Amino acid sequence: MVQRRFTALRGNSQRLDGGAMFGNAPKALWSRWVEADELNRIPLACNALLVEEHSDAGTRRILLETGVGAFFEPELAARYGVVEREHCLLGALADIGLSDSDIDIVMLSHLHFDHAGGLLAAWQEGEAHRLLFSNAIYLTGSEQWQRANAPHLRDRASYIPELLQLLESSGRLQLIAQERSALLGDDYRFIRSDGHTPGMLLTEIETGQGPLIYGADLVPAMPWVNLPITMGYDRAAEMLIDEKESLLNGLQQRRGWIFFSHDPACFAARIEADRRGRYSTSEPIMAAGPLNFCSGT
């Protein structure tokens, strides 16, 4: 018997251009959902999901995503709208009595800096980048790894070359090419999505109250539950919409949950659909900390 506890953790936050975040949707539409500042930037979070598994064999801790962290030097941090200078995810772990060295597995949906930058220690002048989570196995998709090492001009700035080198030299990087991972086991399933970036992997876990899927950048926050809404950062908007429809339809049919990677207010919610096939959320989980469902397998 494995007992799982799910905990929502808040990492660093950002403020990014609202037009870029909402793609071809006009501001008259997206301003109904989120308020922009005087620079047209909207607030975004970097939310991580901690899964703690307790069994007779001991405790295993799995962290989904690390957020942007605080690796940027001050000038770049300002350019990319990173609000805090401290590494907030490390603080969130400390608040529940843990450190990065207590994590056994880090699962990365993809390797853009706002999802993987938290693997690095906070920037300090004159010091080289340093990899955190020293006892963890790092998991990511094999095709995303290829993309990160040979990026297109469109998303080259989204990757951190020094991080890729550190991951490869760590000896603790495992690449996923299938729907399952032998390391994680059959209770974890990966859903491939290519609309945002090639080979992005969404992790699905059974909670005991329906499946929970980490939405990554397919459905980064509640407004993007609306099918036509995509980001300007997506490589293939039409593909992404089709992938999103398949994901949300499956969650709605199975009474499942989605975990939002970038929502500054809501960590997770159930997916509903009306008679016209429009998707919405219910039972939102608005506070960091233990999620109000548990799993035993």
Side-chain angles (χ1 to χ4, degrees):
M1 172 73 75
V2 177
Q3 295 288 334
R4 291 191 181 91
R5 184 172 72 170
F6 300 85
T7 303
L9 302 173
R10 185 80 83 197
N12 289 70
S13 58
Q14 290 182 269
R15 299 193 72 90
L16 292 180
D17 184 82
M21 285 301 300
F22 285 100
N24 65 350
K27 187 175 182 180
L29 175 62
W30 60 256
S31 61
R32 302 174 189 173
W33 302 320
V34 60
E35 183 177 353
D37 66 13
E38 67 280 359
L39 298 177
N40 206 48
R41 301 177 306 175
I42 64 170
L44 297 166
C46 289
N47 300 323
L49 176 64
L50 177 66
V51 184
E52 295 179 276
E53 297 183 338
H54 304 286
S55 69
D56 292 341
T59 297
R60 182 170 75 162
R61 296 184 177 94
I62 302 159
L63 183 67
L64 277 65
E65 308 286 273
T66 63
V68 68
F71 77 95
F72 275 131
E73 61 183 85
E75 182 178 348
L76 289 176
R79 180 184 303 174
Y80 290 107
V82 181
V83 176
E84 306 89 357
R85 294 306 304 141
E86 71 274 15
H87 197 315
C88 295
L89 180 59
L90 299 186
L93 286 169
D95 287 343
I96 58 173
L98 299 174
S99 72
D100 62 295
S101 63
D102 294 312
I103 303 301
D104 300 294
I105 299 170
V106 177
M107 176 62 204
L108 301 162
S109 63
H110 61 300
L111 293 164
H112 288 173
F113 65 72
D114 57 328
H115 291 256
L119 290 176
L120 297 172
W123 178 85
Q124 293 189 22
E125 187 172 5
E127 294 194 9
H129 288 305
R130 178 171 59 86
L131 199 58
L132 298 171
F133 303 94
S134 58
N135 295 316
I137 301 295
Y138 308 106
L139 297 180
T140 197
S142 57
E143 187 166 351
Q144 174 59 196
W145 178 255
Q146 294 173 11
R147 174 74 166 205
N149 282 277
H152 191 276
L153 182 61
R154 177 178 175 83
D155 65 352
R156 183 180 300 168
S158 296
Y159 295 106
I160 313 167
E162 298 89 344
L163 172 61
L164 304 179
Q165 296 164 10
L166 288 169
L167 287 173
E168 189 166 31
S169 63
S170 73
R172 292 179 283 115
L173 174 67
Q174 292 189 17
L175 301 180
I176 301 166
Q178 306 295 330
E179 189 178 73
R180 308 281 180 181
S181 160
L183 179 64
L184 285 177
D186 290 340
D187 291 334
Y188 295 80
R189 182 172 78 95
F190 301 113
I191 301 166
R192 175 174 168 165
S193 171
D194 295 311
H196 178 68
T197 184
M200 185 172 72
L201 297 180
L202 281 60
T203 304
E204 177 181 316
I205 315 167
E206 181 54 51
T207 69
Q209 295 188 38
L212 171 67
I213 295 177
Y214 190 97
D217 278 341
L218 183 61
V219 190
M222 281 197 290
W224 286 266
V225 169
N226 294 278
L227 283 181
I229 303 300
T230 61
M231 295 187 288
Y233 302 111
D234 298 329
R235 65 185 289 258
E238 292 182 4
M239 179 189 298
L240 185 137
I241 289 170
D242 292 342
E243 292 172 342
K244 182 162 57 169
E245 183 172 27
S246 176
L247 180 85
L248 296 178
N249 181 58
L251 280 173
Q252 184 269 331
Q253 290 184 355
R254 294 184 293 160
R255 292 285 295 153
W257 300 78
I258 190 162
F259 190 95
F260 298 116
S261 63
H262 290 306
D263 200 303
C266 179
F267 285 93
R270 285 197 193 270
I271 296 298
E272 308 284 354
D274 63 19
R275 294 180 180 180
R276 297 174 59 183
R278 295 177 301 187
Y279 295 101
S280 60
T281 58
S282 66
E283 301 179 52
I285 298 174
M286 309 297 284
L291 302 183
N292 61 352
F293 46 70
C294 61
S295 173
T297 62

